[in-house]
């Protein structure tokens, strides 16, 4: 039976996912078989396992940090928002249906047997399980039916580390206020406090640690500095979405209202002189050397937003000037002529696409979920050098797209994917750019279009990720009391 440790936060984006990943890597380095777990995840960034099952991207990242294969057991419930009041509910990797928030909250305790079945399977296979909470454990209106914070800690019998974000201010209110609002039995489960994202000389916070320990009656396990670490982030509050810096080459990603899998484009930030910015205004596209339209959970709704915001017209103008435009998944569907949802899978209806690619999309109830690999076709336009290059990734979409023109790529099973006309490119493949062959050729082509030569190194995506996991683990290990962590792990609740 595994040892358990739960990481809860004082708020969303307090650093729970990163801190959990750091501990997963540290435990792995210390010789333990470790697995991440999050009972319920609400995110539009998802991953497809080797079995073709869907899980949250953060737990896939944490599994990678722990040096184990991602498994849907690590995230049995995934909620993918389709509107402000509803989500697609995915249970054990498969779509269970769409539910309004009120319906889900009324029924979510029914999922506890499936959550615990997944957790117990991990419990049999690993030495340590690092459990991640969601948001705050003291959302008082939600606590009665909680299955992801203290409710999960009790089900698992897991001691809790509470993480607060000092960079956002109010660290005493965050940590002490959270402890105060917990029930007495819940408060006893909190065995350590973590002050996250500290900037400057942390000895200046020695009095702060003393105050937290005296008033909270819980030891401070560490004061962790602000770590500039580039690993997959699922949160819509991610700092990378706010980047406005300009580079020698500028890639503009349209920040759709229901944007999904924005981690598809993280690879480009590895390249010197390249800036990736997420844009919401037509004016922000004017200096783009390449435009990417990402995936979305609500294609028709986001196509309306693209049109009404004026961004569609700006993208078309840029395309007419020869700027490469690349659509992934929902973005690929938007580049076509028609998007139709006759079965009401994402809200129903039909809409005219941008008309930049000769293809039409019809949504169906069955979701495509599979890992794939293949080679690029004979491409035209500024990215023609991608022709014949190998790639791997995964598909995750509801629609089927009929293509009249040149296909973008061909999978190993012989099925064609995507479409290419001149400087317009579309594909269903998430992770396509993670191939070093693909990303490097794109960057070289973009530099060439500006009369420049790219001379930087091209580290593989996996090698780069390993450097970032090591940076994260080393930084956390140096600033956390690991003796206390192991003591907490072995304590009986």
């Amino acid at each position: 039976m595994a040892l358990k440790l739960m990481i809860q936060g004082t708020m969303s984006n307090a650093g729970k996912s990163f801190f959990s990943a750091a501990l997963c890597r540290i435990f792995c380095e210390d010789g333990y078989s470790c697995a991440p777990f999050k009972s319920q995840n609400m995110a539009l960034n998802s991953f497809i396992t080797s079995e073709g099952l869907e899980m949250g991207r953060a737990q896939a990242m944490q599994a990678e940090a722990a040096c184990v294969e991602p498994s849907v057991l690590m995230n049995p419930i995934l909620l993918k928002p389709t509107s402000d009041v509803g989500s697609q509910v995915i249970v054990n990797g498969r779509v269970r249906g769409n539910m309004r928030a009120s319906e889900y909250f009324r029924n979510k305790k029914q999922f506890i047997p499936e959550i615990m079945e997944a957790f117990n399977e991990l419990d049999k296979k690993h030495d340590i399980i690092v459990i991640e909470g969601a948001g705050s454990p003291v959302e008082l209106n939600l606590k009665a039916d909680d299955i992801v914070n203290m409710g999960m800690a009790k089900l698992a019998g897991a001691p809790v580390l509470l993480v607060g974000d000092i960079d956002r201010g109010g660290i005493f209110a965050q940590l002490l206020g959270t402890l105060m609002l917990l029930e007495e039995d819940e408060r006893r489960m909190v065995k350590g406090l973590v002050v996250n994202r500290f900037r400057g000389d942390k000895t200046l916070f020695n009095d702060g640690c003393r105050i937290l320990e005296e008033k909270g009656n819980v030891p401070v396990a560490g004061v962790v500095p602000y770590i500039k670490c580039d690993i997959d982030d699922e949160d819509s509050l991610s700092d990378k979405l706010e980047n406005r810096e300009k580079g020698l080459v500028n890639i503009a990603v349209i920040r759709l209202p229901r944007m999904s899998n924005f981690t598809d484009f993280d690879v480009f930030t590895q390249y010197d002189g390249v800036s990736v910015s997420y844009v919401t205004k037509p004016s922000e596209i004017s200096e783009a050397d390449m435009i990417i339209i990402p995936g979305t959970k609500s294609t028709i709704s986001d196509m309306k937003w693209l049109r009404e915001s004026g961004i569609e017209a700006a993208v078309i103008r840029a395309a007419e000037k020869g700027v490469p435009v690349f659509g992934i998944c929902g973005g690929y569907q938007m580049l076509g002529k028609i998007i139709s949802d006759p079965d009401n899978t994402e809200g129903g209806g039909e809409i005219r696409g941008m008309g930049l690619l000769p293809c039409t999309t019809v949504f169906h109830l069955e979701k495509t979920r599979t890992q794939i690999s293949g080679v690029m076709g004979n491409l035209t336009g500024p990215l023609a050098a991608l022709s014949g290059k190998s790639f791997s990734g995964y598909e995750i979409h509801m629609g089927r797209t009929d293509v009249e023109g040149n296909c973008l790529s061909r999978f190993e099973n012989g099925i064609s994917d995507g479409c290419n006309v001149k400087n317009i490119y579309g594909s269903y493949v998430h992770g396509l750019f993670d191939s070093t062959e693909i990303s490097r050729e794109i960057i070289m082509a973009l530099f060439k279009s500006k009369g420049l030569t790219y001379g930087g190194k091209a580290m593989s995506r996996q090698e780069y990720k390993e450097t970032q996991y090591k940076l994260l683990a080393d930084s956390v290990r140096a600033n956390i009391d690991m003796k206390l962590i192991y003591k907490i792990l072995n304590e009986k609740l």
Side-chain angles (χ1 to χ4, degrees), residues 106-146:
R106 281 196 308 271
N107 295 289
K108 64 180 180 177
K109 277 199 168 182
Q110 296 178 12
F111 296 119
I112 288 177
E114 290 167 293
I115 288 171
M116 291 311 297
E117 183 179 354
F119 183 82
N120 290 335
E121 281 298 307
L122 289 180
D123 197 16
K124 296 173 188 175
K125 297 177 180 180
H126 298 280
D127 302 321
I128 299 174
I129 301 176
V130 177
I131 309 168
E132 182 186 342
S136 161
V138 288
E139 301 293 353
L140 301 183
N141 57 317
L142 304 177
K143 273 174 61 67
D145 296 315
D146 174 53

Short mmCIF file of all heavy atoms in Angstrom, two decimals, residues 106-146:
data_model
loop_
_atom_site.label_atom_id
_atom_site.label_comp_id
_atom_site.label_asym_id
_atom_site.label_seq_id
_atom_site.Cartn_x
_atom_site.Cartn_y
_atom_site.Cartn_z
N ARG A 106 -25.13 18.29 -8.09
CA ARG A 106 -26.12 17.46 -7.40
C ARG A 106 -25.74 15.98 -7.42
O ARG A 106 -26.09 15.23 -6.51
CB ARG A 106 -27.50 17.61 -8.07
CG ARG A 106 -28.25 18.86 -7.70
CD ARG A 106 -29.72 18.74 -8.07
NE ARG A 106 -29.94 18.34 -9.45
CZ ARG A 106 -30.06 19.18 -10.46
NH1 ARG A 106 -29.98 20.50 -10.24
NH2 ARG A 106 -30.27 18.74 -11.69
N ASN A 107 -25.01 15.59 -8.46
CA ASN A 107 -24.77 14.16 -8.68
C ASN A 107 -23.33 13.71 -8.51
O ASN A 107 -23.04 12.52 -8.64
CB ASN A 107 -25.22 13.78 -10.10
CG ASN A 107 -26.72 13.93 -10.30
OD1 ASN A 107 -27.49 13.15 -9.76
ND2 ASN A 107 -27.12 14.93 -11.07
N LYS A 108 -22.41 14.63 -8.20
CA LYS A 108 -21.00 14.26 -8.27
C LYS A 108 -20.60 13.21 -7.23
O LYS A 108 -19.66 12.45 -7.47
CB LYS A 108 -20.10 15.49 -8.15
CG LYS A 108 -20.16 16.24 -6.85
CD LYS A 108 -19.20 17.43 -6.91
CE LYS A 108 -19.20 18.23 -5.63
NZ LYS A 108 -18.23 19.35 -5.67
N LYS A 109 -21.31 13.12 -6.10
CA LYS A 109 -20.94 12.10 -5.12
C LYS A 109 -21.17 10.68 -5.66
O LYS A 109 -20.58 9.73 -5.15
CB LYS A 109 -21.73 12.31 -3.83
CG LYS A 109 -21.09 13.35 -2.90
CD LYS A 109 -21.60 13.22 -1.48
CE LYS A 109 -20.75 14.05 -0.53
NZ LYS A 109 -21.18 13.91 0.87
N GLN A 110 -21.99 10.58 -6.71
CA GLN A 110 -22.20 9.27 -7.33
C GLN A 110 -20.94 8.75 -8.00
O GLN A 110 -20.83 7.55 -8.29
CB GLN A 110 -23.33 9.36 -8.35
CG GLN A 110 -24.68 9.70 -7.76
CD GLN A 110 -25.76 9.83 -8.81
OE1 GLN A 110 -25.57 9.45 -9.98
NE2 GLN A 110 -26.92 10.36 -8.42
N PHE A 111 -19.97 9.66 -8.25
CA PHE A 111 -18.74 9.25 -8.91
C PHE A 111 -17.69 8.74 -7.92
O PHE A 111 -16.62 8.28 -8.34
CB PHE A 111 -18.15 10.42 -9.71
CG PHE A 111 -19.03 10.89 -10.84
CD1 PHE A 111 -19.52 12.17 -10.87
CD2 PHE A 111 -19.36 10.03 -11.88
CE1 PHE A 111 -20.34 12.61 -11.91
CE2 PHE A 111 -20.16 10.45 -12.92
CZ PHE A 111 -20.64 11.74 -12.94
N ILE A 112 -17.95 8.81 -6.63
CA ILE A 112 -16.95 8.41 -5.63
C ILE A 112 -16.50 6.96 -5.82
O ILE A 112 -15.28 6.69 -5.75
CB ILE A 112 -17.47 8.66 -4.20
CG1 ILE A 112 -17.50 10.16 -3.92
CG2 ILE A 112 -16.61 7.94 -3.17
CD1 ILE A 112 -18.06 10.54 -2.56
N PRO A 113 -17.39 6.00 -6.07
CA PRO A 113 -16.90 4.62 -6.28
C PRO A 113 -15.91 4.51 -7.44
O PRO A 113 -14.91 3.78 -7.34
CB PRO A 113 -18.18 3.83 -6.56
CG PRO A 113 -19.25 4.59 -5.85
CD PRO A 113 -18.87 6.04 -6.02
N GLU A 114 -16.15 5.26 -8.52
CA GLU A 114 -15.24 5.21 -9.66
C GLU A 114 -13.92 5.92 -9.33
O GLU A 114 -12.85 5.49 -9.78
CB GLU A 114 -15.92 5.82 -10.88
CG GLU A 114 -17.04 4.94 -11.40
CD GLU A 114 -17.94 5.63 -12.40
OE1 GLU A 114 -18.66 6.55 -12.00
OE2 GLU A 114 -17.94 5.21 -13.57
N ILE A 115 -14.00 7.00 -8.57
CA ILE A 115 -12.78 7.69 -8.13
C ILE A 115 -11.93 6.75 -7.28
O ILE A 115 -10.71 6.62 -7.49
CB ILE A 115 -13.15 8.96 -7.35
CG1 ILE A 115 -13.70 10.03 -8.29
CG2 ILE A 115 -11.93 9.50 -6.59
CD1 ILE A 115 -14.28 11.24 -7.57
N MET A 116 -12.55 6.09 -6.32
CA MET A 116 -11.80 5.24 -5.41
C MET A 116 -11.30 3.97 -6.08
O MET A 116 -10.24 3.44 -5.71
CB MET A 116 -12.65 4.90 -4.19
CG MET A 116 -12.93 6.10 -3.29
SD MET A 116 -11.43 7.05 -2.87
CE MET A 116 -10.48 5.81 -1.96
N GLU A 117 -12.01 3.49 -7.07
CA GLU A 117 -11.52 2.33 -7.82
C GLU A 117 -10.21 2.68 -8.53
O GLU A 117 -9.24 1.91 -8.50
CB GLU A 117 -12.56 1.88 -8.84
CG GLU A 117 -12.15 0.63 -9.61
CD GLU A 117 -13.21 0.17 -10.59
OE1 GLU A 117 -14.33 0.75 -10.61
OE2 GLU A 117 -12.94 -0.78 -11.36
N ALA A 118 -10.18 3.87 -9.15
CA ALA A 118 -8.94 4.31 -9.80
C ALA A 118 -7.83 4.52 -8.78
O ALA A 118 -6.69 4.08 -8.98
CB ALA A 118 -9.21 5.60 -10.57
N PHE A 119 -8.16 5.19 -7.68
CA PHE A 119 -7.16 5.47 -6.64
C PHE A 119 -6.59 4.17 -6.07
O PHE A 119 -5.37 4.05 -5.87
CB PHE A 119 -7.77 6.32 -5.53
CG PHE A 119 -6.79 6.71 -4.46
CD1 PHE A 119 -5.95 7.79 -4.65
CD2 PHE A 119 -6.69 5.99 -3.28
CE1 PHE A 119 -5.02 8.15 -3.67
CE2 PHE A 119 -5.78 6.33 -2.31
CZ PHE A 119 -4.95 7.43 -2.50
N ASN A 120 -7.46 3.21 -5.81
CA ASN A 120 -7.00 1.95 -5.22
C ASN A 120 -6.10 1.17 -6.16
O ASN A 120 -5.20 0.45 -5.71
CB ASN A 120 -8.20 1.11 -4.79
CG ASN A 120 -8.94 1.70 -3.59
OD1 ASN A 120 -8.36 2.44 -2.81
ND2 ASN A 120 -10.22 1.41 -3.48
N GLU A 121 -6.33 1.30 -7.47
CA GLU A 121 -5.45 0.65 -8.43
C GLU A 121 -4.04 1.25 -8.37
O GLU A 121 -3.04 0.54 -8.42
CB GLU A 121 -6.01 0.77 -9.85
CG GLU A 121 -7.13 -0.19 -10.17
CD GLU A 121 -6.67 -1.65 -10.07
OE1 GLU A 121 -5.67 -1.99 -10.71
OE2 GLU A 121 -7.30 -2.42 -9.34
N LEU A 122 -3.98 2.58 -8.28
CA LEU A 122 -2.67 3.24 -8.12
C LEU A 122 -2.02 2.83 -6.82
O LEU A 122 -0.80 2.65 -6.74
CB LEU A 122 -2.83 4.76 -8.17
CG LEU A 122 -3.17 5.41 -9.51
CD1 LEU A 122 -3.29 6.92 -9.32
CD2 LEU A 122 -2.14 5.09 -10.57
N ASP A 123 -2.83 2.72 -5.77
CA ASP A 123 -2.35 2.37 -4.44
C ASP A 123 -1.61 1.03 -4.46
O ASP A 123 -0.63 0.82 -3.74
CB ASP A 123 -3.54 2.31 -3.49
CG ASP A 123 -3.14 2.34 -2.03
OD1 ASP A 123 -1.98 2.71 -1.74
OD2 ASP A 123 -3.96 2.01 -1.17
N LYS A 124 -2.07 0.11 -5.30
CA LYS A 124 -1.46 -1.21 -5.39
C LYS A 124 -0.13 -1.18 -6.14
O LYS A 124 0.73 -2.05 -5.94
CB LYS A 124 -2.39 -2.18 -6.12
CG LYS A 124 -3.70 -2.46 -5.42
CD LYS A 124 -4.60 -3.30 -6.34
CE LYS A 124 -6.01 -3.46 -5.77
NZ LYS A 124 -6.89 -4.18 -6.73
N LYS A 125 0.05 -0.20 -7.02
CA LYS A 125 1.16 -0.23 -7.97
C LYS A 125 2.34 0.65 -7.57
O LYS A 125 3.42 0.52 -8.16
CB LYS A 125 0.66 0.22 -9.36
CG LYS A 125 -0.39 -0.67 -9.97
CD LYS A 125 -0.87 -0.10 -11.30
CE LYS A 125 -1.93 -0.99 -11.95
NZ LYS A 125 -2.41 -0.42 -13.23
N HIS A 126 2.16 1.57 -6.63
CA HIS A 126 3.19 2.56 -6.37
C HIS A 126 3.54 2.68 -4.89
O HIS A 126 2.78 2.25 -4.02
CB HIS A 126 2.75 3.93 -6.92
CG HIS A 126 2.53 3.93 -8.40
ND1 HIS A 126 3.55 4.03 -9.30
CD2 HIS A 126 1.38 3.80 -9.12
CE1 HIS A 126 3.05 3.98 -10.53
NE2 HIS A 126 1.75 3.84 -10.45
N ASP A 127 4.71 3.29 -4.63
CA ASP A 127 5.16 3.50 -3.25
C ASP A 127 4.55 4.76 -2.64
O ASP A 127 4.28 4.80 -1.44
CB ASP A 127 6.69 3.64 -3.21
CG ASP A 127 7.40 2.43 -3.78
OD1 ASP A 127 6.93 1.30 -3.53
OD2 ASP A 127 8.41 2.60 -4.49
N ILE A 128 4.40 5.79 -3.46
CA ILE A 128 3.90 7.08 -2.99
C ILE A 128 2.89 7.62 -4.00
O ILE A 128 3.11 7.53 -5.22
CB ILE A 128 5.05 8.11 -2.81
CG1 ILE A 128 6.06 7.62 -1.77
CG2 ILE A 128 4.50 9.48 -2.42
CD1 ILE A 128 7.29 8.51 -1.65
N ILE A 129 1.80 8.19 -3.51
CA ILE A 129 0.85 8.89 -4.36
C ILE A 129 0.79 10.34 -3.92
O ILE A 129 0.55 10.64 -2.75
CB ILE A 129 -0.56 8.26 -4.30
CG1 ILE A 129 -0.52 6.79 -4.73
CG2 ILE A 129 -1.53 9.03 -5.19
CD1 ILE A 129 -1.85 6.08 -4.61
N VAL A 130 1.04 11.26 -4.86
CA VAL A 130 0.93 12.69 -4.61
C VAL A 130 -0.41 13.15 -5.16
O VAL A 130 -0.64 13.13 -6.37
CB VAL A 130 2.09 13.48 -5.27
CG1 VAL A 130 1.90 14.98 -5.04
CG2 VAL A 130 3.43 13.02 -4.71
N ILE A 131 -1.30 13.55 -4.26
CA ILE A 131 -2.67 13.93 -4.63
C ILE A 131 -2.76 15.45 -4.71
O ILE A 131 -2.32 16.16 -3.80
CB ILE A 131 -3.68 13.41 -3.58
CG1 ILE A 131 -3.46 11.92 -3.31
CG2 ILE A 131 -5.11 13.67 -4.03
CD1 ILE A 131 -4.22 11.41 -2.09
N GLU A 132 -3.33 15.93 -5.78
CA GLU A 132 -3.49 17.38 -5.96
C GLU A 132 -4.95 17.76 -5.73
O GLU A 132 -5.87 17.12 -6.25
CB GLU A 132 -3.07 17.81 -7.36
CG GLU A 132 -3.17 19.32 -7.58
CD GLU A 132 -2.88 19.74 -9.01
OE1 GLU A 132 -2.27 18.95 -9.75
OE2 GLU A 132 -3.28 20.86 -9.38
N GLY A 133 -5.16 18.83 -4.97
CA GLY A 133 -6.50 19.37 -4.80
C GLY A 133 -6.86 20.31 -5.93
O GLY A 133 -6.16 20.40 -6.94
N ALA A 134 -7.96 21.04 -5.75
CA ALA A 134 -8.42 21.97 -6.79
C ALA A 134 -8.91 23.26 -6.13
O ALA A 134 -9.63 23.22 -5.13
CB ALA A 134 -9.55 21.36 -7.61
N GLY A 135 -8.50 24.39 -6.69
CA GLY A 135 -8.95 25.66 -6.14
C GLY A 135 -8.59 25.79 -4.68
O GLY A 135 -7.45 25.58 -4.26
N SER A 136 -9.59 26.08 -3.86
CA SER A 136 -9.40 26.23 -2.41
C SER A 136 -10.24 25.19 -1.67
O SER A 136 -11.35 24.88 -2.10
CB SER A 136 -9.83 27.63 -1.97
OG SER A 136 -10.08 27.68 -0.58
N PRO A 137 -9.74 24.67 -0.54
CA PRO A 137 -10.53 23.70 0.24
C PRO A 137 -11.60 24.35 1.09
O PRO A 137 -12.35 23.64 1.76
CB PRO A 137 -9.46 23.03 1.12
CG PRO A 137 -8.43 24.08 1.32
CD PRO A 137 -8.38 24.85 0.03
N VAL A 138 -11.69 25.68 1.08
CA VAL A 138 -12.68 26.34 1.94
C VAL A 138 -13.66 27.19 1.13
O VAL A 138 -14.05 28.30 1.55
CB VAL A 138 -11.99 27.18 3.05
CG1 VAL A 138 -11.37 26.26 4.08
CG2 VAL A 138 -10.95 28.13 2.48
N GLU A 139 -14.05 26.68 -0.03
CA GLU A 139 -15.18 27.28 -0.73
C GLU A 139 -16.42 26.77 0.00
O GLU A 139 -16.92 25.68 -0.26
CB GLU A 139 -15.18 26.85 -2.20
CG GLU A 139 -13.93 27.23 -2.97
CD GLU A 139 -13.77 28.73 -3.16
OE1 GLU A 139 -14.71 29.49 -2.80
OE2 GLU A 139 -12.72 29.16 -3.65
N LEU A 140 -16.91 27.55 0.94
CA LEU A 140 -17.88 27.06 1.92
C LEU A 140 -19.18 26.58 1.30
O LEU A 140 -19.83 25.66 1.81
CB LEU A 140 -18.16 28.14 2.96
CG LEU A 140 -16.93 28.64 3.74
CD1 LEU A 140 -17.34 29.65 4.80
CD2 LEU A 140 -16.18 27.47 4.39
N ASN A 141 -19.55 27.16 0.16
CA ASN A 141 -20.79 26.75 -0.49
C ASN A 141 -20.65 25.42 -1.22
O ASN A 141 -21.65 24.82 -1.62
CB ASN A 141 -21.26 27.82 -1.48
CG ASN A 141 -20.21 28.15 -2.53
OD1 ASN A 141 -19.03 28.27 -2.21
ND2 ASN A 141 -20.63 28.29 -3.77
N LEU A 142 -19.42 24.93 -1.38
CA LEU A 142 -19.19 23.68 -2.11
C LEU A 142 -18.70 22.55 -1.22
O LEU A 142 -18.62 21.40 -1.66
CB LEU A 142 -18.14 23.92 -3.22
CG LEU A 142 -18.44 25.03 -4.23
CD1 LEU A 142 -17.28 25.17 -5.21
CD2 LEU A 142 -19.73 24.76 -4.99
N LYS A 143 -18.38 22.85 0.03
CA LYS A 143 -17.72 21.87 0.89
C LYS A 143 -18.55 20.63 1.19
O LYS A 143 -18.01 19.53 1.34
CB LYS A 143 -17.32 22.53 2.23
CG LYS A 143 -15.96 23.20 2.19
CD LYS A 143 -15.67 23.94 3.48
CE LYS A 143 -15.66 23.05 4.70
NZ LYS A 143 -14.53 22.10 4.70
N ALA A 144 -19.87 20.78 1.24
CA ALA A 144 -20.72 19.66 1.67
C ALA A 144 -20.57 18.44 0.77
O ALA A 144 -20.64 17.30 1.24
CB ALA A 144 -22.18 20.11 1.72
N ASP A 145 -20.35 18.67 -0.51
CA ASP A 145 -20.25 17.56 -1.47
C ASP A 145 -18.85 17.45 -2.07
O ASP A 145 -18.68 16.95 -3.19
CB ASP A 145 -21.29 17.74 -2.59
CG ASP A 145 -22.71 17.68 -2.07
OD1 ASP A 145 -23.00 16.79 -1.26
OD2 ASP A 145 -23.52 18.53 -2.46
N ASP A 146 -17.84 17.90 -1.33
CA ASP A 146 -16.48 17.93 -1.85
C ASP A 146 -15.92 16.53 -2.12
O ASP A 146 -16.01 15.64 -1.27
CB ASP A 146 -15.56 18.65 -0.86
CG ASP A 146 -14.10 18.59 -1.28
OD1 ASP A 146 -13.82 18.96 -2.43
OD2 ASP A 146 -13.28 18.13 -0.48
#
